[in-house]
């Protein structure tokens, strides 16, 4: 047994194990029988996945084939218990105490008058009525968490979301996890690799643990959930370590927004508490891994898990960075787990239209629930917000974004790139991943969609200086024209949108495509206008070297916009 494997086993032995995982017979280690990597191809060490990885599970049956069946211990929905006991739990929370008397009475009137029952979230919202949108986040999530039903099998075992990786209707989701395991296995001597999973991005990091552990196990890994989050980092700052760990539940409420997790996830909570009491085991575990994966959710929560209370990189983050740099560890993430990889600036919230309407500001985001309800906030929920200094910094050149084409995030990425003066910006589509070498200089695109790149703005040039070139799209409202009459300069970016199979070279200033994949035929760019640019105050210009391909992919197009678009407009609203 190698010293590295002893470290891993020791860390697992210290923790209370998660409910047993049933490994599908069809799920074989992806590294078995794989061809060797060419000596000329850099090893790929960083996975940037765009989110919405389509995996078949009991709570996402839409991703499963018709013949899929789940065992009796499969959780299919989140359910909520409405009773005197569950309401009494809610009434003991600090969130309840902070509600005004009128709202307390309204809640009890809506929920307390009903007979005891079990509801799904839609049924609960129906009973709450307008209160669903009137409650602030602290009260809303305290209510959901304290009413959450602990679902049990007839034998008294807890039900969990069950994964059947091999039964996915769309194989791309499984392919991404299999690829991660395969590449980690190369570091493990083509043995089952040891994969650590951090779910700190989720508001409830305990709920997601079983899903990811099963997924990676069925992909052929030895998978371990690591109960690291921002609450744990805060607990470790107490001078009295025992007192810090005793305050974990309160810290979770304050810094993560979860409540009552000991009742719902007792085994996972014990792992969390055990790591708090033995922080040295975190470094032992990280030192033993071949791969580390960060889940989706909120990238600000992920970042808090890896920084000390003073905002500096923790010892754990320093160790991970060193091992990645040494070629001893691969790291990846999906959705927020990709957004947090950024350098220089990290997106925290907002939309493309919000960036145009309200500007780009340095601030924590307001609640996403504010987009659907009226709530008190210092600025509109759609405002593009970001954190200076970036995220974890594993992507070395600039900003990373996800759910990209699906949510039309091109404009928000470009405007933040300009505002933060960062380098090559990357946006990854759903069910798609950009794999990079450890220094970020070599990449491969894999998956269902594409990856979008924006090279940093070139030298500011006077408007109309490029008017002789043919504009594919130039939509300007009268208000935009007036605003631009006061502007004397234009930002000019080279942009690319590239598909599965593309191999490329990257640096801070741009992208060089080695290969766009087999069978991709060039088409005429005339008349090409991407949907995300329609009715927006930006210009798309093609150059002699521009290339367009079927399904909306392209290389070397120029995107121009007034420098005023990336300004802070919130103060005017």
């Amino acid at each position: 047994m190698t010293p590295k494997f002893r470290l891993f086993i020791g860390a697992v032995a210290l923790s209370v194990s998660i409910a047993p995982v049933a490994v599908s017979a069809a799920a074989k280690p992806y590294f078995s029988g794989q061809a060797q990597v060419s000596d000329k191809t850099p090893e790929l060490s960083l996975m940037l996945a765009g989110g919405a990885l389509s995996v078949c599970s009991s709570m996402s049956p839409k991703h499963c084939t018709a013949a899929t069946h789940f065992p009796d211990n499969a959780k299919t929905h989140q359910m909520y218990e409405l009773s005197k006991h569950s309401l009494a739990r809610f009434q003991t929370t600090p969130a309840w105490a902070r509600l005004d008397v009128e709202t307390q009475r309204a809640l009890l009137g809506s929920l307390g008058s009903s007979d005891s029952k079990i509801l799904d979230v839609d049924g609960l919202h129906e009973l709450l009525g307008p209160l669903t949108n009137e409650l602030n986040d602290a009260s809303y999530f305290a209510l959901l968490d304290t009413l959450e039903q602990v679902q049990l099998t007839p034998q008294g075992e807890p039900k969990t979301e069950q994964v059947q990786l091999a039964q996915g209707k769309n194989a791309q989701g499984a392919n991404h996890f299999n690829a991660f395991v395969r590449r980690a296995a190369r570091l493990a001597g083509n043995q089952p690799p040891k994969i650590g999973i951090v779910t700190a991005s989720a508001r409830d990091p305990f709920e997601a643990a079983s899903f990811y552990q099963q997924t990676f196990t069925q992909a052929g890994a030895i998978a371990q959930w690591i109960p690291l989050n921002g609450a744990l980092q805060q607990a470790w700052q107490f001078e009295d370590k025992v007192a810090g760990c005793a305050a974990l539940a309160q810290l979770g409420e304050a810094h993560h927004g979860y409540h009552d997790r000991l009742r719902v996830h007792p085994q996972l909570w014990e792992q969390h508490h055990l790591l708090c009491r033995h922080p040295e085991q975190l470094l032992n575990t990280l030192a033993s891994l071949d791969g580390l994966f960060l889940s989706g959710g909120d990238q600000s929560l992920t970042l808090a898990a890896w920084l000390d209370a003073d905002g500096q990189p923790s010892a754990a983050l320093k160790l991970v960075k060193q091992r990645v740099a040494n070629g001893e560890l691969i790291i990846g993430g999906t959705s927020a787990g990709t957004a947090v990889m950024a350098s220089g600036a990290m997106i925290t919230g907002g939309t493309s239209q919000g960036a145009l309407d309200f500007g780009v500001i340095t601030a924590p985001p307001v609640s996403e629930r504010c987009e659907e309800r009226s709530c008190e906030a210092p600025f509109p929920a759609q405002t593009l917000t970001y954190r200076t200094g970036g995220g974890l910094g594993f992507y070395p050149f600039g900003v990373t974004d996800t759910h990209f084409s699906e949510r039309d995030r091109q404009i928000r990425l470009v405007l933040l790139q300009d505002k933060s003066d960062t380098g090559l910006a990357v946006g990854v589509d759903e069910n798609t991943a950009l794999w990079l070498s450890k220094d970020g200089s070599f990449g491969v695109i894999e998956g269902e969609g594409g990856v979008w790149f924006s090279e940093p703005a070139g030298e500011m040039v006077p408007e109309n200086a490029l008017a002789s070139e043919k504009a594919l799209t130039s939509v300007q409202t009268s208000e935009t024209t007036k605003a631009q009459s006061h502007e004397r300069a234009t930002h000019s970016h080279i942009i690319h949108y590239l598909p599965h199979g593309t191999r490329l070279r990257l640096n801070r200033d741009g992208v060089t495509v080695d290969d766009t994949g087999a069978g991709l035929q060039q088409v005429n760019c005339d008349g090409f206008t991407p949907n995300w640019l329609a009715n927006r105050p930006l210009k798309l210009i093609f150059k002699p070297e521009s290339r367009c391909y079927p399904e909306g992919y392209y290389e070397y197009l120029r995107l121009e916009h007034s420098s005023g678009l990336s300004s802070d407009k919130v103060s005017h609203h």
Side-chain angles (χ1 to χ4, degrees):
M1 184 182 296
T2 66
K4 184 169 149 184
F5 194 71
R6 287 194 193 97
L7 279 174
F8 183 82
I9 294 299
V12 174
L14 179 68
S15 61
V16 178
S17 62
I18 294 178
V21 176
V23 180
S24 167
K28 298 178 181 178
Y30 199 82
F31 51 85
S32 296
Q34 296 295 322
Q36 294 297 313
V37 179
S38 167
D39 291 339
K40 297 180 181 179
T41 302
E43 289 284 354
L44 300 174
S45 303
L46 173 62
M47 176 193 189
L48 302 176
L53 304 182
S54 55
V55 172
C56 170
S57 80
S58 58
M59 293 188 70
S60 295
K62 66 181 180 180
H63 294 314
C64 303
T65 59
T68 304
H69 297 284
F70 292 98
D72 293 339
N73 65 336
K75 182 192 284 189
T76 59
H77 295 85
Q78 203 81 292
M79 304 300 290
Y80 301 92
E81 173 194 357
L82 195 57
S83 67
K84 291 181 179 179
H85 292 297
S86 63
L87 286 174
R89 286 196 298 266
F90 176 47
Q91 290 174 281
T92 64
T93 65
W96 167 268
R98 289 192 292 267
L99 291 173
D100 59 71
V101 174
E102 183 178 347
T103 303
Q104 290 179 345
R105 287 174 179 167
L107 278 169
L108 293 178
S110 298
L111 303 178
S113 59
S114 302
D115 296 330
S116 297
K117 60 179 67 175
I118 304 298
L119 304 167
D120 63 12
V121 70
D122 291 333
L124 182 60
H125 285 170
E126 185 176 348
L127 280 181
L128 285 170
L131 288 169
T132 301
N133 290 329
E134 292 171 7
L135 293 174
N136 62 25
D137 279 3
S139 302
Y140 175 77
F141 290 121
L143 178 65
L144 259 60
D145 287 355
T146 52
L147 298 189
E148 184 178 347
Q149 181 197 27
V150 178
Q151 300 180 45
L152 301 174
T153 66
Q155 294 75 34
E157 295 296 322
K159 291 185 176 182
T160 59
E161 181 177 12
Q162 295 295 305
V163 173
Q164 293 198 20
L165 189 64
Q167 298 300 314
K169 189 183 299 183
N170 182 340
Q172 289 290 355
N175 288 347
H176 291 301
F177 289 102
N178 288 332
F180 192 90
V181 171
R182 181 185 74 239
R183 288 175 172 130
R186 291 174 184 149
L187 302 180
N190 288 326
Q191 297 299 310
K194 295 171 281 295
I195 305 294
I197 304 148
V198 175
T199 56
S201 292
R203 185 196 66 83
D204 180 359
F206 304 93
E207 180 64 32
S210 179
F211 170 86
Y212 282 105
Q213 191 183 41
Q214 291 178 67
T215 299
F216 277 106
T217 298
Q218 292 179 28
I222 302 169
Q224 180 186 357
W225 178 60
I226 301 174
L228 174 66
N229 60 28
L232 205 58
Q233 290 288 0
Q234 293 295 324
W236 286 333
Q237 305 307 311
F238 279 53
E239 289 187 16
D240 183 342
K241 303 304 181 186
V242 174
C245 294
L248 266 181
Q250 291 77 20
L251 292 170
E253 293 173 10
H255 296 279
H256 238 274
Y258 57 72
H259 307 74
D260 202 22
R261 297 301 84 189
L262 172 59
R263 177 183 65 87
V264 179
H265 300 289
Q267 290 184 323
L268 299 182
W269 183 265
E270 176 57 25
Q271 289 189 51
H272 185 48
H273 203 271
L274 201 56
L275 182 57
C276 186
R277 301 196 305 269
H278 300 277
E280 70 282 357
Q281 288 300 326
L282 176 60
L283 297 182
N284 290 344
T285 298
L286 293 173
S288 71
L289 298 177
D290 302 299
L292 178 65
F293 188 84
L294 310 181
S295 73
D298 180 343
Q299 53 266 34
S300 297
L301 293 177
T302 315
L303 187 60
W306 295 96
L307 301 181
D308 290 336
D310 60 359
Q312 296 302 308
S314 65
L317 177 56
K318 292 175 183 177
L319 175 61
V320 170
K321 286 193 168 187
Q322 186 61 56
R323 297 198 66 224
V324 171
N326 291 345
E328 301 167 345
L329 178 72
I330 70 168
I331 186 169
T334 183
S335 189
T338 287
V340 78
M341 301 292 186
S343 298
M346 183 184 79
I347 292 173
T348 56
T351 65
S352 288
Q353 191 60 49
L356 292 171
D357 292 343
F358 309 117
V360 185
I361 63 173
T362 304
V366 299
S367 168
E368 290 185 2
R369 294 176 65 238
C370 290
E371 296 181 16
E372 302 174 359
R373 65 188 178 96
S374 175
C375 61
E376 293 185 8
F379 45 83
Q382 297 85 359
T383 306
L384 177 53
T385 58
Y386 72 102
R387 177 186 185 272
T388 58
L392 298 178
F394 288 97
Y395 175 69
F397 305 129
V399 183
T400 50
D401 206 351
T402 59
H403 302 280
F404 201 69
S405 296
E406 293 77 9
R407 301 184 188 179
D408 290 341
R409 286 179 163 175
Q410 292 85 352
I411 292 175
R412 85 167 189 173
L413 183 59
V414 165
L415 296 188
L416 177 54
Q417 180 185 31
D418 287 341
K419 183 65 178 277
S420 59
D421 193 26
T422 47
L424 182 67
V426 172
V428 188
D429 287 350
E430 294 179 355
N431 222 7
T432 305
L434 171 64
W435 276 92
L436 296 172
S437 57
K438 63 186 180 182
D439 63 357
S441 65
F442 175 78
V444 175
I445 297 171
E446 297 178 353
E448 188 172 18
V451 178
W452 198 82
F453 299 90
S454 173
E455 298 181 4
E459 182 179 352
M460 300 281 281
V461 295
E463 287 191 353
N464 301 321
L466 304 168
S468 59
E469 294 192 0
K470 184 175 180 181
L472 300 176
T473 301
S474 179
V475 180
Q476 294 182 322
T477 64
S478 59
E479 289 185 3
T480 300
T481 303
K482 281 183 184 179
Q484 287 190 342
S485 68
H486 298 289
E487 296 290 344
R488 302 187 59 184
T490 296
H491 282 299
S492 177
H493 296 265
I494 300 300
I495 59 172
H496 316 260
Y497 180 46
L498 302 168
H500 168 83
T502 301
R503 300 163 67 86
L504 40 90
R505 305 280 170 175
L506 307 85
N507 58 41
R508 186 188 185 280
D509 296 324
V511 168
T512 301
V513 177
D514 288 348
D515 182 8
T516 54
L520 199 60
Q521 300 297 317
Q522 189 171 340
V523 298
N524 197 315
C525 289
D526 285 344
F528 174 66
T529 304
N531 292 335
W532 56 267
L533 193 56
N535 301 313
R536 298 285 177 74
L538 297 90
K539 294 179 183 180
L540 192 62
I541 294 173
F542 70 86
K543 299 148 56 76
E545 62 269 30
S546 298
R547 301 185 188 94
C548 294
Y549 302 103
E551 300 184 30
Y553 296 109
Y554 47 82
E555 297 177 67
Y556 300 105
L557 300 186
R558 180 156 60 209
L559 183 68
E560 293 183 0
H561 70 85
S562 163
S563 59
L565 290 185
S566 57
S567 64
D568 176 358
K569 305 180 184 69
V570 170
S571 59
H572 303 301
H573 291 261

